[in-house]
Amino acid sequence: MTEDAPWLVVGLGNPGREYAGNRHNVGFRVAELLAGRVGGKFGRAKRVVAEVAEGRLGFGGPKLILVKPLTFMNLSGAPVVALAQFFKVPVENVVAVHDELDVPYGQVRVKRGGGEGGHNGLRSMSKSLGSKEYARVRFGIGRPPGRQDPADYVLSDFSGAERKEVDFLVDRAADVVEAVVLEGVEWAQNKYHGN
């Protein structure tokens, strides 16, 4: 992490009311919760297809630029790189918050770099940023039941049983983002991977 540089926290999702409750849109929910925590309010960005909110973590803490790209998932990288350049955010201060098929439902994991695991939003971000070395807060949604197509699964809403826990898990994911910003990825892994 670069001292004094702002942080770009990207909540990945798809625009539109019809996608709001989808597993794939959990990144938007985490970004919205963080905006409330830092006293930011999302508004449409100028010249970039995204909603942006700004605030600080605590009094005098790091500046956060929270982003909800309004392109569809597979085109998320263009607004992310444009905002990173505009706000002078180095790639090591970029955090993507996204749904993760390879993490069981109910778990939140964090890592820096690595592959995209078939996630089109991450693939677009990596290509546009020219790097995979940004942090990822991975909200576990688990694998689809039976033979359901993973693409259909991520675009479906959480089940009734899952919905009972999702607000708690969104809160946990927001805590993990804050830990990454304030203490670093390794510290966040040590604190949250055992839970």
Side-chain angles (χ1 to χ4, degrees), residues 60-83:
K63 180 178 182 176
L64 294 186
I65 298 106
L66 302 159
V67 181
K68 295 190 306 182
L70 298 179
T71 56
F72 281 90
M73 188 73 73
N74 60 338
L75 301 173
S76 298
V80 170
V81 76
L83 290 165

Side-chain angles (χ1 to χ4, degrees), residues 28-48:
F28 277 14
R29 292 176 73 168
V30 174
E32 289 162 357
L33 179 63
L34 284 165
R37 287 184 181 184
V38 301
K41 185 170 173 58
F42 275 100
R44 186 67 188 257
K46 293 181 175 82
R47 298 182 294 275
V48 178

Side-chain angles (χ1 to χ4, degrees), residues 137-150:
V137 173
R138 305 160 67 212
F139 188 106
I141 61 169
R143 285 283 180 192
R147 295 177 178 255
Q148 184 178 8
D149 180 9

Side-chain angles (χ1 to χ4, degrees), residues 8 46-49 76-88 128-129:
L8 192 72
K46 293 181 175 82
R47 298 182 294 275
V48 178
V49 184
S76 298
V80 170
V81 76
L83 290 165
Q85 290 170 348
F86 178 79
F87 287 105
K88 297 176 177 46
S128 294
L129 290 168

Side-chain angles (χ1 to χ4, degrees), residues 23 26 34-35 53 56 58 99 123 128 142 152 168 183:
R23 290 174 175 88
V26 73
L34 284 165
R56 290 198 176 272
D99 59 304
R123 186 176 297 123
S128 294
D152 293 337
F168 168 78
E183 305 292 344

Side-chain angles (χ1 to χ4, degrees), residues 74-132:
N74 60 338
L75 301 173
S76 298
V80 170
V81 76
L83 290 165
Q85 290 170 348
F86 178 79
F87 287 105
K88 297 176 177 46
V89 178
V91 72
E92 60 266 19
N93 283 27
V94 175
V95 181
V97 183
H98 63 92
D99 59 304
E100 178 61 65
L101 285 165
D102 293 327
V103 173
Y105 180 78
Q107 296 182 15
V108 178
R109 296 286 179 258
V110 62
K111 70 177 186 174
R112 179 171 301 283
E116 290 92 8
H119 196 290
N120 290 331
L122 295 178
R123 186 176 297 123
S124 178
M125 281 184 60
S126 296
K127 183 177 178 185
S128 294
L129 290 168
S131 174
K132 295 181 179 185

Side-chain angles (χ1 to χ4, degrees), residues 131-169:
S131 174
K132 295 181 179 185
E133 293 307 309
Y134 52 91
R136 296 111 187 266
V137 173
R138 305 160 67 212
F139 188 106
I141 61 169
R143 285 283 180 192
R147 295 177 178 255
Q148 184 178 8
D149 180 9
D152 293 337
Y153 180 68
V154 300
L155 293 174
S156 65
D157 289 353
F158 287 102
S159 71
E162 291 169 333
R163 278 195 298 273
K164 292 177 182 173
E165 297 180 308
V166 79
D167 288 340
F168 168 78
L169 297 170

